[in-house]
Amino acid sequence: MELFRKAILVIHGFAGGVYDQEYLTHRLELISNYDVFTFTLPAHDGDFKKKITYKDWIKKVDSEMEFLISNGYKKIYVIGHSMGGVLASYAASKYPQVKKLVLVAPAFRISGFENTKFNINTALTSTPKIFEEYGAQLVTNRLLKLPANCYIEFFKVVKELQDCIKEVKIPTLILRGTSDFIVPQESVEYAYSSVQNNLKKLVMLEKTTHDVFRENKKAQATDLVIEFFKNKNNLLNFPNGITENDKEN
């Protein structure tokens, strides 16, 4: 059965959860023709009994996409945050049912790592800023909620899927906070330049950290996402971000 309603699939980031996008999802659920779906990536539910690899994260995204498609959704919008942005790019490159893509601080690059190799100087510079951004207690809690092997698997999934963004040919909105000390500017610029569609936009949110939808500009960021979804492939009149870089040919 074909549905005329649109599905929105939200993919959270590494060491995160669906709670990171609660404000966004609640706002989207108020729109009458949108059905919003979230899920928890394997190993992010506190279960240490089963060893999880990066392939399990990819399989979970496939499972969620196939569920939506099997239930009749022909138009699916995908939102991905951080590592979820990498997985969202994979979904957009693989499934033609994905019609629009939102990447929030997509983690194609991570502070402290250059070309998949660890840079100790960059990492040491970034670490205090990350603790300042989140608070030491929150950082510690998030790190302890995952099995130790997941940190290696994180870099494996990024390496495995980093070229998927080059196969994305749909309208794409990319958001990043200027105070994000986890995902560097290089990462969003890589994503922006790689998308094979002129209907794309990179919006920088001033004084906003990695957790865009938990920050003081979460309302403005959500407004941008909603307006992007409502626009019919037309970014010419797309509302301005705080600062922005857009390309329209």
Side-chain angles (χ1 to χ4, degrees):
M1 178 183 70
E2 180 175 350
L3 295 179
F4 294 101
R5 298 171 63 84
K6 299 179 180 68
I8 298 175
L9 182 65
V10 183
I11 308 175
H12 69 78
F14 182 78
V18 296
Y19 43 81
D20 289 322
Q21 288 79 46
E22 278 185 350
Y23 179 86
L24 170 69
T25 56
H26 288 168
R27 286 273 307 275
L28 290 171
E29 286 170 348
L30 296 176
I31 301 173
S32 59
N33 64 330
Y34 292 169
D35 293 330
V36 183
F37 297 86
T38 62
F39 64 94
T40 300
L41 288 165
H44 288 69
D45 56 1
D47 184 1
F48 282 64
K49 295 180 181 179
K50 181 180 179 182
K51 186 175 181 180
I52 298 297
T53 73
Y54 77 92
K55 293 181 180 179
D56 293 304
W57 296 333
I58 297 174
K59 288 178 183 178
K60 181 61 175 175
V61 172
D62 282 330
S63 174
E64 295 294 325
M65 285 297 304
E66 288 163 7
F67 170 80
L68 295 178
I69 294 168
S70 67
N71 278 277
Y73 290 100
K74 300 296 183 182
K75 291 184 178 181
I76 303 172
Y77 298 164
V78 180
I79 303 170
H81 175 238
S82 197
M83 183 183 79
V86 178
L87 293 167
S89 299
Y90 160 75
S93 69
K94 180 175 180 179
Y95 296 96
Q97 291 85 358
V98 179
K99 304 301 182 184
K100 289 190 178 183
L101 176 65
V102 176
L103 303 177
V104 185
F108 293 101
R109 305 286 187 272
I110 291 290
S111 296
F113 286 78
E114 298 175 359
N115 299 321
T116 71
K117 295 182 179 179
F118 186 62
N119 183 313
I120 185 64
N121 292 325
T122 306
L124 290 174
T125 301
S126 300
T127 300
K129 294 179 180 178
I130 293 172
F131 275 93
E132 180 182 346
E133 177 178 327
Y134 281 99
Q137 187 62 50
L138 180 58
V139 173
T140 302
N141 288 344
R142 290 202 178 206
L143 293 178
L144 291 176
K145 71 178 286 188
L146 292 174
N149 76 297
C150 284
Y151 300 95
I152 296 175
E153 299 305 311
F154 167 78
F155 292 103
K156 286 182 180 180
V157 78
V158 173
K159 183 177 182 180
E160 178 75 15
L161 300 181
Q162 65 182 345
D163 289 336
C164 288
I165 188 68
K166 298 177 182 178
E167 303 299 321
V168 172
K169 301 176 181 179
I170 57 176
T172 301
L173 171 64
I174 305 171
L175 304 175
R176 178 184 178 267
T178 59
S179 299
D180 187 338
F181 300 117
I182 295 176
V183 169
Q185 181 69 11
E186 174 194 357
S187 186
V188 293
E189 290 179 354
Y190 167 74
Y192 179 81
S193 63
S194 297
V195 171
Q196 302 298 305
N197 191 307
N198 289 331
L199 293 166
K200 58 184 176 180
K201 193 149 197 153
L202 168 57
V203 178
M204 300 298 299
L205 300 165
E206 294 286 353
K207 299 179 181 178
T208 299
T209 67
H210 189 62
D211 275 341
V212 170
F213 296 106
R214 295 167 65 105
E215 283 286 322
N216 59 339
K217 289 190 172 64
K218 62 185 178 182
Q220 293 95 317
T222 300
D223 289 342
L224 289 170
V225 174
I226 292 173
E227 187 63 28
F228 173 59
F229 285 167
K230 287 184 174 181
N231 273 330
K232 294 183 178 179
N233 294 349
N234 180 9
L235 296 183
L236 287 172
N237 298 316
F238 191 76
N240 291 331
I242 306 305
T243 61
E244 65 182 36
N245 172 24
D246 76 287
K247 177 181 180 181
E248 192 68 47
N249 293 329

